[in-house]
Amino acid sequence: RPLPPRRLPAPAGPSPAPPGPAEVLLAGALWVTERANPFFLLQRRRGHGKGGGLTGLLVGTLDVVLDSSARVAPYRILHQTQDSQVYWAVACGSSRKEITKHWEWLENNLLQTLSIFDNEEDITTFVKGKIHGIIAEENKNEQPQSEEDPGKFKEAELKMRKQFGMPEVEKLVNYYSCSYWKGRVPRQGWLYLTVNHLCFYSFLLGKEVTLVIQWVDVTQLEKNATLLFPECIKVSTRDSELYFSMFLNINETFKLMEQLANIAMRQLLDNESFLQDKSLPKPRKPLKNISALKRDLDARAKNECYRATFRLPKDECLDGHTDCTLWTPFNKMHIPGQMFVSNNYICFASKAEEACHLIIPLREVTIVEKADSSSVLPSPLSISTKSKMTFFFANLKDRDFLVQRISDFLQRTPSKKPCSSDREWNSPLAVSPTSALSNQPGNFCAGEVPTASQGLLKLFRRNSEELLGSKGAKEKMKEESWNIHFFEYGRGMCMYRTAKTRELVQKGIPENLRGELWLLFSGAWNEMVTHPGYYADLVEKSMGKYNLATEEIERDLHRSMPEHPAFQNELGIAALRRVLTAYAFRNPTIGYCQAMNIVTSVLLLYCNEEEAFWLLVALCERMLPDYYNTRVVGALVDQGIFEELTREYLPQLSEKMQDLGVISTISLSWFLTLFLSVMPFESAVVIVDCFFYEGIKFILQVSLAILDANMEKLLQCCDEGEAMTILGRYLDNVVNRQSVSPPIPHLHALLTSGDDPPLEIDIFELIKTSYEKFSNLKADDIEQMRFKQRLKVIQSLEDTAKKSVVRAVSGDIGFSIEELEELYVVFKAKYLMSCYWGNNRAAAARRDQSLPYLEQYRIDMEQFKELFISLTPWSCGAHTPVLAGRLFRLLDENRDSLINFKEFVTGMSGMYHGDLTEKLKVLYKLHLPPALNPEETESALEATSYFTEDVTTEGNATLLPLPLSLANHLTVVACSYLAEEKGTSPQDYRYYLRMWAKEKESKKETIKDLPKMSQEQFIELCKTLYNMFSEDPVEQELYHAIATVASLLLRIGEVGKKFSNKPMRKSEDYKANSTQDPVSEEESPTSEQSQNSAVEQQPQADHEDKTCGDAQPEKTQQENQTLGDVSGEGQGSPLQLLSDDETKDDMSMSSYSMVSTGSLQCEDIADDTVLVGCEGSSSAARYGSTIDTDWSISFEQILASMLTETALVNYFEKKVDILQKIKDQKKVERQFSSSSDYELSSVSG
């Protein structure tokens, strides 16, 4: 029976079910009634479809501006009874076809039933009940996850898919009403933000604007206000700048756009496609018009901010946050702020930025209890820890719920077993966490020197502290200051972190406490404690294994702080090797990058191996994201921020530095090694102290202070070298007079000597200056700037990659640079589409960044077919995908079912460039293995009953229907053509030079190297050619030409078969040459005579070729007619067509259409048509259905035959503009089907 009516149809998936029939008061307003019966009306929205005049335009505009559901469903069915003024909307549809189905269902299933009722109210109740029942039934079958999105939102998603031709996998995140500025005119419409695209649609009085931009193409996103545009968002791509304004909430829109563009950049950077988090808790209250995806992205943003603020592990997810106050015992105050609760931590951040931060790991919590409320301290909550600290929170709004959540998380927290990895925070000289492991060298690697159980600096201290005098005393005072601080503020992870903590860090951390505090401030301690034994396992797995990363590590081991005694022996080197190798195995995406060795060697001086390893993890994966990957993207991003900050804070110097190109040179070495490679070690380590507490903000701050201190000298510089010398000398002389370690000679200092004694700069003064002048830098602002720079850096790296790939392939390919760049854009877009729309395709697998650019993007067969269909000059109708599959197999030389860009353009170039020979060579190869699958020749096998297996029939006297004059003419053409190909020259020095050049370059394939083609392969080639010529302006000429050529070649194959079967030694020469006309003894009285006559007639044929000119086609036509007129006992038509449909209906010869006289019309050729050269029907019946395995034809014979037909030569040598094809492909890629004319024709048809 017909489908029941649905409320909201979706062209690309199940429709969201509405709550039920809706009441309509004015049925005629904005709608036109098209059908009616006593109980129902079928209506169409004005402005939808043809006509409608001004009213239609106004209604269409209104629908877009007000986001009416009529845009998705411009047809509806209303229920109405005679006396009632109220109508009920019972069904709606997106097309006439769909609404007609609903109408027919109502007429067939409800009309008779309704006529029985007497009471009109009963009729309406029955109809509404019936519709409710259908909706309830549909709801049962709906997928549960789709219920998360509110109905209005689902409707918007349907509009988006319909309007922009998006598949169902493309998810809408949110949509906003706004204006797009086209020139100086604002176009009011709707902005749809999907996971992979930014789309905009506007319809104003007949003027339609449709925009679709991929996030991966966005190069800049800015929110600004100008005189011309009010507060607006500017979206820049490589080709255009788009302005959107008049948002209700511009900040929310901009934040979401940033997030989606950021996800796209991550995809370009490391191939991470977006995966929706299905584990999000459902909202306690239904959220109006907010999709599950939007909630997911909001949660991600909050999680990232939470983790960055408190330096928590990457997998920590925020559960919720609430306002509260925290009692701080050190100053006896209740500090207002926010409490954050996640799976493993309770954190607090005060509203005043530096007042207080607190991190309480749940693994440390022993008791959570509600204290008694009072007017002074409402709703208090106390949390006690294992380290005997108690924290009091008050003014909690929903204390009971909060306590319940914390209790739930506490139950899930694994109870930590007491082990030697618990650091005793109370002792400044505590045993390091891996002491247990360190005593078992076998855990790391048999035969290696065991690592020390503490930082290497303690083992390699050269002098006793009593010799240090005042320095030693100062160090003791520092330690005492920290001990007092620990007493007041707590020690370990649960320490209150305040402005006082930062002050102490700025004054330098004592050497005995450095490792402990680095672990705390970086958050590395949390990861180490929650992953006991992880490092030891990694070391065990990685030792003895070799790859590119381990080779690079070995090369750099002895370059890591060679001036320090700790790395002048095997103990330090072995520890460094283990840490770097373990990290390379943990994170193969990064593996090993230069500069990691310098940073790690410093970490090992103050920490043991396991601690150094986790500090390295914190650095590479959280504090300096993307710094140490193959393209140092993170460092380039922060370099961009540094340039921006220089423009803002030091505008005079900024322009000069840009001219000299200094910033890009200095910032990478400063940032990647945290100044360790450019400053004396004792000074640089103080920078590292502050960095672990403040993050990248401090590095930028100090960099600005260094430029500021050298401004006058830098402004007078003439070139980059001079500027580098000034900065190098300055940094060499940054000293730490308080250091208790003996000074380590700095290699850089040896290179910069001058006449005047250098002025020493105290590191603590430099730090103090940086805070005084540049402390207003905010971490949030830096994150915002990082996003902006990341877009710029990644897009510029993509442009570099494009140029690099194009340069690599341009030498061997016929395309111009511009064409190659356009092809690369199309190719990359197809690859990226597979990442977000593909279903587990091999091409979308994580791409290896270490591969050359050329290998990073690869596509599979399905993607190649889509590109081939839109770009090929050889369009073959329905046969095109088959041809695409063959070309893919031909190009995929390593058989991994993927092809890279070079292979792709090589295939395209074969069709677009080169002469007739080159193009035919490509086409020929497409019909030989590996391009041709055995299964693909089934159509030829079906036709084998019309081939003869044995040519020695009774009527073999008539087996040579090929006129000798034509055969000889063909032979001469082939000979002369091949003579040009070969070329001859005397064996002088030029000959030997050519021979030497040939040896040097890769041997080019000649037409002699191509294997012969079998009968079934030849049939497939003919089929391809026939499909290729359909819809060509001169298709009749082409059909006639190919009919002639195919007829000729089939006969050559037959004759060649008989000749090759003859037991003669000379036959090998004939096979190799293929330029003689092969005639066998059995076909004529004396083979010698016929061969001689063939040779004698060659000049004559040549003469005919020259003199006949245009008469040649008629001659061939007459000859073919003679062939067709042979008696039934002899041969049938030399070239015939056979379609599968015809063989089903009639197996007789009369079902054939003959192709000898050009009578063939293009509409006669079906997609599954195959070409056969056959004998009479009697012999066909006699020999069954096996392919003639002896029949073969060579490429030279096909080429020579083609050269006789001008139409074919012109077809293959005509130029096609690929840039135009690419433009057309981009237009076709987004097809918007919203016209009702098409729907009408499809229904009536």
Side-chain angles (χ1 to χ4, degrees), residues 35-41 78-84 87 103 107 111 114-115 120 123:
R35 290 193 192 181
N37 62 35
F39 301 106
F40 298 103
L41 304 173
L78 301 181
H79 164 65
Q80 178 221 13
T81 50
Q82 284 181 354
D83 300 331
S84 170
Y87 297 80
W103 180 262
E107 282 189 332
L111 275 188
L114 295 179
S115 58
E120 289 188 354
I123 294 174

Side-chain angles (χ1 to χ4, degrees), residues 462 559-565 568 676 681 744-747:
R462 293 184 200 165
R559 301 177 190 169
S560 312
M561 295 192 70
E563 64 274 17
H564 198 286
Q568 289 165 2
L676 288 164
F681 168 72
I744 297 165
H746 188 232
L747 296 180

Side-chain angles (χ1 to χ4, degrees), residues 595 598-599 628 668-678 688:
I598 294 169
V599 175
Y628 299 106
L668 279 184
S669 59
W670 292 4
F671 296 167
L672 277 169
T673 63
L674 303 173
F675 287 95
L676 288 164
S677 62
V678 292
V688 178

Side-chain angles (χ1 to χ4, degrees), residues 265-277:
M265 290 308 107
R266 284 247 71 90
Q267 189 177 306
L268 283 177
L269 184 59
D270 53 20
N271 216 31
E272 275 184 18
S273 56
F274 177 79
L275 291 170
Q276 188 178 347
D277 183 4

Side-chain angles (χ1 to χ4, degrees), residues 353-521:
E353 197 181 349
E354 284 294 323
C356 182
H357 267 213
L358 182 64
I359 301 164
I360 311 170
L362 291 181
R363 61 176 182 271
E364 298 286 332
V365 173
T366 51
I367 303 167
V368 177
E369 59 182 349
K370 293 182 270 189
D372 296 332
S373 288
S374 67
S375 55
V376 182
L377 211 61
S379 308
L381 177 72
S382 79
I383 298 174
S384 304
T385 67
K386 291 174 184 174
S387 56
K388 305 293 187 289
M389 290 180 78
T390 303
F391 304 95
F392 282 102
F393 297 93
N395 293 290
L396 291 158
K397 285 179 187 168
D398 201 345
R399 185 175 61 164
D400 294 344
F401 176 75
L402 182 67
V403 170
Q404 186 57 50
R405 290 302 285 165
I406 295 172
S407 303
D408 291 347
F409 289 133
L410 276 170
Q411 284 173 3
R412 292 180 217 160
T413 306
S415 56
K416 206 173 69 135
K417 295 172 188 174
C419 65
S420 59
S421 64
D422 284 338
R423 185 189 269 270
E424 294 296 327
W425 293 112
N426 301 329
S427 159
L429 294 168
V431 175
S432 295
T434 47
S435 54
L437 294 170
S438 309
N439 297 328
Q440 300 169 357
N443 274 350
F444 292 112
C445 187
E448 285 277 8
V449 179
T451 182
S453 60
Q454 49 194 348
L456 295 171
L457 201 64
K458 289 176 184 172
L459 298 174
F460 291 92
R461 187 164 281 165
R462 293 184 200 165
N463 46 4
S464 58
E465 290 188 13
E466 57 223 30
L467 298 175
L468 295 170
S470 61
K471 283 187 180 179
K474 202 153 198 177
E475 184 76 359
K476 286 280 183 197
M477 283 171 65
K478 270 190 194 176
E479 280 184 28
E480 195 52 42
S481 300
W482 275 97
N483 285 331
I484 293 166
H485 185 78
F486 291 149
F487 179 76
E488 286 185 16
Y489 294 83
R491 187 169 190 170
M493 193 47 75
C494 302
M495 174 171 64
Y496 293 97
R497 298 161 200 225
T498 64
K500 174 79 173 160
T501 318
R502 192 180 73 178
E503 280 172 32
L504 283 174
V505 172
Q506 284 172 34
K507 289 174 184 171
I509 297 173
E511 288 194 350
N512 288 335
L513 295 174
R514 196 160 260 149
E516 173 189 327
L517 292 173
W518 282 1
L519 283 165
L520 279 186
F521 296 147

Side-chain angles (χ1 to χ4, degrees), residues 688-936:
V688 178
D689 290 343
C690 297
F691 165 73
F692 276 125
Y693 189 78
E694 295 271 23
I696 192 64
K697 163 184 180 295
F698 177 75
I699 299 292
L700 291 164
Q701 189 172 294
V702 168
S703 303
L704 287 170
I706 292 167
L707 289 187
D708 185 46
N710 291 279
M711 190 187 291
E712 286 181 19
K713 290 180 185 175
L714 289 170
L715 286 171
Q716 290 164 12
C717 285
C718 303
D719 56 34
E720 184 188 359
E722 193 181 342
M724 293 299 293
T725 307
I726 288 166
L727 290 170
R729 193 172 295 174
Y730 177 88
L731 289 168
D732 283 336
N733 292 293
V734 175
V735 295
N736 179 1
R737 297 190 182 96
Q738 298 175 15
S739 173
V740 290
S741 297
I744 297 165
H746 188 232
L747 296 180
H748 201 265
L750 306 174
L751 306 172
T752 54
S753 57
D755 300 331
D756 303 326
L759 186 70
E760 288 188 341
I761 302 97
D762 185 65
I763 181 65
F764 298 105
E765 282 301 316
L766 178 62
I767 289 171
K768 189 180 170 190
T769 310
S770 80
Y771 273 102
E772 284 170 358
K773 291 191 174 181
F774 308 107
S775 64
N776 54 352
L777 283 179
K778 297 281 182 292
D780 291 348
D781 296 341
I782 289 170
E783 279 309 309
Q784 183 70 32
M785 290 161 88
R786 267 183 170 170
F787 160 74
K788 185 178 167 185
Q789 292 298 331
R790 196 177 292 120
L791 276 183
K792 202 182 287 183
V793 166
I794 292 177
Q795 294 293 16
S796 123
L797 286 171
E798 288 296 310
D799 289 343
T800 307
K802 178 170 75 175
K803 284 174 186 163
S804 164
V805 169
V806 165
R807 204 179 305 116
V809 300
S810 58
D812 316 323
I813 307 292
F815 292 115
S816 68
I817 296 289
E818 186 192 357
E819 288 170 339
L820 282 171
E821 286 185 350
E822 285 296 320
L823 280 168
Y824 181 80
V825 170
V826 170
F827 183 84
K828 184 176 118 185
K830 188 58 70 180
Y831 165 82
L832 290 171
M833 211 170 277
S834 77
C835 292
Y836 51 72
W837 285 351
N839 297 320
N840 301 320
R841 282 179 170 169
R846 195 175 187 81
R847 81 175 191 271
D848 187 354
Q849 294 282 347
S850 62
L851 287 172
Y853 288 134
L854 191 59
E855 291 289 331
Q856 285 188 15
Y857 294 125
R858 294 182 296 166
I859 59 174
D860 63 15
M861 187 183 282
E862 287 308 308
Q863 295 164 289
F864 177 76
K865 279 183 182 175
E866 289 162 21
L867 284 177
F868 181 90
I869 289 166
S870 56
L871 298 177
T872 181
W874 297 344
S875 184
C876 303
H879 191 62
T880 311
V882 178
L883 203 61
R886 289 176 192 165
L887 183 56
F888 183 88
R889 284 191 288 275
L890 186 67
L891 297 172
D892 181 22
E893 289 177 8
N894 61 357
R895 300 281 167 271
D896 63 350
S897 301
L898 295 171
I899 60 167
N900 63 27
F901 180 67
K902 184 168 186 177
E903 290 163 338
F904 169 70
V905 289
T906 304
M908 285 288 140
S909 182
M911 296 183 286
Y912 275 92
H913 299 287
D915 55 11
L916 173 71
T917 315
E918 292 302 315
K919 289 179 182 175
L920 275 182
K921 204 191 287 182
V922 173
L923 200 57
Y924 185 82
K925 284 185 192 170
L926 292 183
H927 296 83
L928 295 173
L932 190 74
N933 262 350
E935 306 89 61
E936 286 187 346

